[in-house]
Amino acid sequence: QGGVFTRYWFALKKGYHVAFKNISKTDNFIEEQIDPHKEVIDRMTDLSMLRLFETYLEGCPQFVLQLYIFLEHGQANFSQYAAIMVSCCAISWSTLDYQVALRKSLSDKNLLKGSCPKFTYLFYKLFTLLSWMLSIVLLLFLNVKIALFLLLFLWFLGLLWAFKKQTQFCASVSMEFLYRVVVGFILIFTFFNIKGQNTRCPMFCYYIVRVLATVGILVVFWVSPVSVFNSDYFMPISITIVLSLVLGIIFLIVYYGTLHPNRKEETKPDEIDGKMAQGDCRMKYFIMD
């Protein structure tokens, strides 16, 4: 929260200075090398990233808890349904917001323009997230220890991938480790390209594992002789999980197949998430997808 506040303050002050003050370009050599507009955009991108971290670290556990309580009691009013949908939409929207902000801060990236690509990306995240959250909740009803073990195992795999990619976001080793821990946690719930490189194969593997895990959870739940909650809910929940996953994959294919900004680059037609990071480009310091 301190990081969010300080960056908000800097962005507001710098933005006001850029918008309403005359900027002298001859103050000193260092200031001549800094584009104030670019600096403000970079700070806003940092803010979007911090909000993304906060949303996943707080929103995902809360969303799982909301679903668990709802299914356990078997009764809910309109406000509870609305709260569940708002939570899921907020998590997905934070991902879209960061994607848009990040592309603005990178000179070698095409902007994510138009409502159609944005909504397609939003629905891709929304449906895949909803399907996976419901699957996790079903597994929690079946066996809490198994569910926690699965989440810890997925977090460990995400952490290993972050270390393998050798992210360089923080100045100190300890803070970089914390950053990779957070990245690993986010990878439990959704896919991120953490260095802006071509991730066709990792993304394919990620969602193959997601589909297999979801199907496995449903199969185990169907054959389980134990009735963990009202059976009337299981059929619609199973249908929701399957439909959400299918719709999420469809929106993913449509987005990366036809609407991704870099699809316009004929030099790299099969690139999913952008060009390879070069030099000290901001790309290598940020989560990208």
Side-chain angles (χ1 to χ4, degrees):
Q1 294 296 332
V4 171
F5 175 79
T6 56
R7 284 169 174 80
Y8 262 124
W9 171 249
F10 176 87
L12 288 173
K13 185 173 71 172
K14 197 71 177 181
Y16 174 81
H17 182 71
V18 171
F20 299 105
K21 301 290 184 181
N22 292 324
I23 301 175
S24 176
K25 297 185 178 180
T26 59
D27 290 342
N28 54 57
F29 177 78
I30 296 178
E31 291 184 358
E32 289 177 3
Q33 308 304 311
I34 300 175
D35 182 357
H37 296 85
K38 180 65 165 57
E39 193 174 4
V40 173
I41 291 174
D42 289 347
R43 293 291 181 172
M44 292 306 297
T45 304
D46 293 349
L47 277 170
S48 181
M49 183 200 65
L50 291 175
R51 288 197 298 268
L52 177 74
F53 283 2
E54 181 183 11
T55 301
Y56 272 90
L57 290 174
E58 294 183 5
C60 287
Q62 290 177 357
F63 185 48
V64 171
L65 181 61
Q66 286 176 323
L67 289 174
Y68 187 91
I69 293 174
F70 163 68
L71 294 177
E72 184 180 35
H73 291 283
Q75 295 180 350
N77 52 36
F78 175 78
S79 62
Q80 290 173 315
Y81 282 114
I84 291 174
M85 292 307 302
V86 168
S87 297
C88 190
C89 290
I91 298 171
S92 304
W93 182 264
S94 68
T95 313
L96 172 64
D97 177 71
Y98 180 69
Q99 173 75 351
V100 174
L102 178 60
R103 286 189 166 272
K104 288 182 180 179
S105 70
L106 299 171
S107 59
D108 62 335
K109 292 294 176 183
N110 295 326
L111 297 180
L112 185 58
K113 297 179 180 179
S115 58
C116 188
K118 292 178 180 178
F119 277 104
T120 302
Y121 184 87
L122 177 66
F123 289 139
Y124 143 54
K125 290 295 183 182
L126 177 65
F127 285 121
T128 54
L129 183 67
L130 177 61
S131 173
W132 184 235
M133 290 293 198
L134 285 171
S135 300
I136 292 175
V137 172
L138 287 185
L139 192 58
L140 283 172
F141 273 108
L142 189 63
N143 193 303
V144 175
K145 293 182 180 179
I146 294 178
L148 293 178
F149 175 80
L150 176 63
L151 295 178
L152 286 174
F153 179 71
L154 294 175
W155 168 80
F156 181 72
L157 292 180
L159 184 62
L160 286 180
W161 195 48
F163 273 97
K164 182 179 182 297
K165 290 298 181 180
Q166 297 180 348
T167 59
Q168 300 177 22
F169 178 76
C170 303
S172 64
V173 176
S174 58
M175 293 304 297
E176 185 66 31
F177 179 81
L178 179 61
Y179 169 75
R180 294 175 182 178
V181 168
V182 175
V183 169
F185 181 84
I186 295 176
L187 286 170
I188 295 175
F189 302 100
T190 191
F191 179 82
F192 280 101
N193 179 358
I194 61 177
K195 293 196 71 173
Q197 299 172 347
N198 190 344
T199 56
R200 180 181 295 274
C201 183
M203 179 181 288
F204 178 79
C205 295
Y206 182 91
Y207 282 106
I208 286 294
V209 172
R210 173 68 63 82
V211 170
L212 292 176
T214 302
V215 172
I217 291 173
L218 289 176
V219 170
V220 171
F221 215 88
W222 269 103
V223 301
S224 175
V226 181
S227 177
V228 292
F229 63 90
N230 192 341
S231 58
D232 295 337
Y233 282 90
F234 183 60
M235 181 60 72
I237 289 173
S238 300
I239 295 174
T240 301
I241 290 174
V242 174
L243 286 181
S244 298
L245 183 58
V246 171
L247 287 174
I249 297 298
I250 291 174
F251 278 110
L252 181 153
I253 294 173
V254 171
Y255 174 77
Y256 284 111
T258 60
L259 300 176
H260 193 277
N262 288 355
R263 289 290 300 178
K264 300 177 181 178
E265 299 179 2
E266 297 181 357
T267 57
K268 295 195 176 183
D270 61 344
E271 187 172 16
I272 292 182
D273 293 299
K275 301 175 182 177
M276 296 291 289
Q278 299 177 357
D280 291 330
C281 175
R282 277 174 61 88
M283 177 62 66
K284 74 176 183 178
Y285 300 104
F286 291 97
I287 290 179
M288 179 72 175
D289 181 290

